[in-house]
Amino acid sequence: MDDNSIYFRLPKTSRKGFILEFQKLPHMYDRLHYHPEMQLIYILEGAGDLFAGDSFVSYGPGSLFLFGPNQSHVFKSDPAYFSNDDLECRTISVFFHDKSLGDGFFDLEETMGIQSLIERSGRGIQFKQSVSEQMGSRIFGLIDLKGFERFMEILDILHLLSETDQYKYLATMNSSIPLSDQKNEKVNKVFNYILDHYNEDIKLEDVANIANYSQAAFCHFFKQHTQKTFVQFLIEVRISNACKMLRNTDYNISQVCYESGFNNVSNFNRQFKKLNGMSPTAYIKNYKEKELVG
């Protein structure tokens, strides 16, 4: 593989069932990548957007995700993490194969629940806040455990995650066939351009040129590899950032509308409700009520 390869290699661990990785970085690894191992990742610190499967979702401290083998995904830290040296991202990941513990281990009656979780991971999983709050301290506590104790604790965590119904899928289809590195690079360039310029007037011609395609070929390429049209993806990026502004700033709805790249408040309200199931006003009210309860 060349230096532009996005195949993510982990250290050789033939004698370990699980690999625990603690990362402390200025910002998340922001290229679409994949690896043959499953990855359970808990966000201790850091915020931004995740694209996996055909979902574009925000993440922040306390977020918990499970990616299946060879599932392409990218975490894009918020812009502040690229310009503010005081900010950092901290994550804990558990990597493992379905054969990590030997052939047939997850087929045992006692571990069949985990096998079901492994099968579901092919669509990517985002666990709900109630689950991440319950499991977060235990995942963080893995750092202080060694050998058999860590091994058993990870098994118990996976067992509990296999029993919950408090999650949502990140992909509509189960897929373990990643993009080629060349196509990953093209998607990366487009993603990064959109995420950096979402509040500007982005034209189809601009992103097609970035990927070195004609407009028609680009539309086919983008839909084939993200399960979304370019326009759908751009709207989701803008609405995701609008949600952040509603949560984290004092901007009114009109300001959020224009700052997130929309040029029409009624269209902004319509798209916001379509994606979030509620109006921006209801979203703010719901968020503030949760903050008071919390």
Side-chain angles (χ1 to χ4, degrees), residues 246 250-260 265 268-269 279-282 284:
L246 290 172
D250 294 325
Y251 291 172
N252 61 41
I253 291 172
S254 179
Q255 287 174 304
V256 169
C257 164
Y258 296 113
E259 287 291 330
S260 56
V265 175
F268 168 69
N269 286 331
S279 68
T281 302
I284 297 171

Side-chain angles (χ1 to χ4, degrees), residues 183-199:
K183 289 180 178 177
N184 258 325
E185 282 291 350
K186 288 179 181 289
V187 176
N188 264 319
K189 288 179 181 178
V190 173
F191 278 6
N192 284 327
Y193 183 83
I194 293 173
L195 292 170
D196 290 339
H197 300 276
Y198 68 88
N199 56 348

Side-chain angles (χ1 to χ4, degrees), residues 52-202:
D54 50 19
S55 291
F56 183 85
V57 298
S58 295
Y59 69 86
S63 295
L64 180 62
F65 302 96
L66 176 63
F67 303 121
N70 294 321
Q71 183 175 47
S72 295
H73 56 280
V74 57
F75 286 94
K76 178 73 171 180
S77 296
D78 283 340
Y81 289 87
F82 294 89
S83 58
N84 188 339
D85 293 338
D86 294 328
L87 296 177
E88 64 181 13
C89 298
R90 295 187 300 133
T91 64
I92 297 176
S93 292
V94 177
F95 294 93
F96 62 103
H97 286 283
D98 60 347
K99 306 296 185 185
S100 287
L101 307 182
D103 289 337
F105 182 84
F106 291 115
D107 294 328
L108 297 172
E109 184 176 340
E110 294 86 351
T111 57
M112 286 180 65
I114 299 177
Q115 178 62 40
S116 171
L117 179 68
I118 289 171
E119 291 169 358
R120 285 179 278 142
S121 75
R123 291 178 60 184
I125 292 174
Q126 178 183 16
F127 294 98
K128 294 186 178 179
Q129 186 177 352
S130 58
V131 177
S132 60
E133 287 178 353
Q134 176 190 3
M135 305 308 299
S137 61
R138 293 188 65 176
I139 295 173
F140 182 65
L142 292 171
I143 295 173
D144 296 323
L145 299 179
K146 304 291 182 184
F148 186 72
E149 282 187 306
R150 177 186 286 178
F151 176 84
M152 292 302 294
E153 179 70 351
I154 292 174
L155 273 182
D156 195 46
I157 288 170
L158 292 175
H159 172 68
L160 291 172
L161 291 177
S162 75
E163 292 189 319
T164 185
D165 60 359
Q166 298 300 297
Y167 66 88
K168 69 175 183 179
Y169 287 116
L170 296 171
T172 53
M173 297 172 59
N174 189 326
S175 175
S176 60
I177 303 174
L179 301 180
S180 69
D181 290 334
Q182 182 183 25
K183 289 180 178 177
N184 258 325
E185 282 291 350
K186 288 179 181 289
V187 176
N188 264 319
K189 288 179 181 178
V190 173
F191 278 6
N192 284 327
Y193 183 83
I194 293 173
L195 292 170
D196 290 339
H197 300 276
Y198 68 88
N199 56 348
E200 302 171 13
D201 182 20
I202 299 179

